[in-house]
């Protein structure tokens, strides 16, 4: 198998840069309704404890989000989002834990950066908030720019492609160019194909099968496959509909994308993906 070169963004903490392998990002959704861990960690103390547990399992950093992007989810107000994520980021920063902020809002990205977040993870790639790119440029942080076509209420209707990989790459490149025009340094950008966002299961599989084409933009690659619907048929126990039972399948995806040069995987079950990326790193080196 042809293995893609693993790229990483510049300006990230040496703690991350020195790993020299696919990073494992632990998901911390401080939301009442995220589809996979919804409601469990919605107060600061519990959220911080869960993040510490993920770090204990080997997570390299924690992605903190306050707004659900579950299919069909409705939006919350910015102040509500910030009320949930900012105390958690502040506390994790005080504990020496590296965080990214999962938000589509420039204002939340800015406040999260003040609280200590080191990476902005924007599932809309700058499409949801016209000030996001300018804000990221000013903050001078690494920026995960995900492929996105519309908010959760409409995204399933937007899953129409004649050639999914080509179109996703073209749309990502458009946003990359816009970000650069707004002052974001190209070497701070990480791209993400946005599995499950305006994509049906077959679209996700097609993107994964043709993963090496994602390297054509010569930017680091981030992958969020964890517990998503397209893994449902590979649940264990077989036939389970509980998203947690997609963790073994998620680890299999982590092995595959790590072997193919992903910069990072975003996962709920950290232990499985840490084992996966460490094993595949042996094979890559
Ligand atoms: N997926 C979710 C949330 N944030 N961020 C990036 N960069 N990529 C993703 O695929 C992604 C994301 C949705 O999953 P969740 O509700 O389980 O957190």
């Amino acid at each position: 198998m042809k293995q893609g070169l693993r790229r990483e963004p510049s300006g990230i903490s040496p703690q991350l840069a020195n790993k020299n392998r696919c990073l494992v990002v632990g998901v911390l959704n401080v939301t009442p309704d995220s589809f996979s861990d919804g409601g469990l960690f919605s107060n600061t103390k519990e959220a911080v404890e869960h993040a510490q547990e993920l770090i204990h399992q080997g997570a390299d950093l924690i992605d903190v989000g306050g707004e659900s992007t579950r299919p069909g989810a409705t939006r919350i107000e910015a102040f509500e989002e910030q009320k949930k994520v900012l105390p958690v980021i502040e506390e994790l920063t005080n504990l020496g834990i590296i965080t990214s902020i999962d938000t589509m809002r420039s204002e939340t990205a800015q406040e999260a950066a003040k609280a200590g977040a080191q990476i902005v993870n924007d599932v809309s790639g700058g499409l949801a908030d016209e000030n996001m790119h300018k804000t990221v440029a000013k903050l001078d942080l690494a920026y995960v720019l995900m492929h996105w076509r519309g908010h959760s209420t409409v995204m399933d209707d937007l899953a129409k492609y004649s050639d999914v990989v080509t179109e996703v790459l073209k749309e990502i490149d458009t946003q990359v160019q816009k970000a650069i025009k707004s002052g974001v340094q190209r070497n701070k950008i990480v791209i993400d194909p946005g599995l499950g966002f305006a994509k049906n299961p077959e679209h996700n599989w097609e993107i994964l099968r043709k993963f090496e084409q994602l390297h054509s933009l010569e930017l680091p690659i981030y992958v969020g496959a964890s517990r998503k619907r397209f893994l449902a048929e590979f649940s264990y126990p077989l036939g389970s509909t509980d998203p947690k039972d997609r963790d073994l399948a998620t680890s299999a995806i982590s092995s595959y994308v790590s072997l193919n040069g992903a910069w990072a995987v975003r996962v709920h079950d950290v232990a499985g993906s840490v084992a996966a990326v460490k094993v595949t790193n042996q094979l890559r080196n």
Side-chain angles (χ1 to χ4, degrees), residues 27-29 31 33-37 63 65 67-71 102-103 120-124 144-147 155 190-197 222-228 266-268:
V27 175
L28 185 64
N29 287 323
T31 58
D33 68 338
S34 173
F35 76 89
S36 43
D37 58 9
D63 186 45
E67 182 173 44
S68 173
T69 49
R70 175 182 56 80
D102 185 344
T103 187
V120 176
N121 174 24
D122 173 9
V123 299
S124 84
V144 179
L145 184 159
M146 199 191 82
H147 177 260
M155 68 180 178
V190 176
I191 59 166
D192 179 339
L195 299 175
F197 287 82
Y222 189 100
V223 177
S226 188
R227 297 185 180 174
K228 288 189 177 165
R266 177 186 181 278
V267 294
H268 302 83

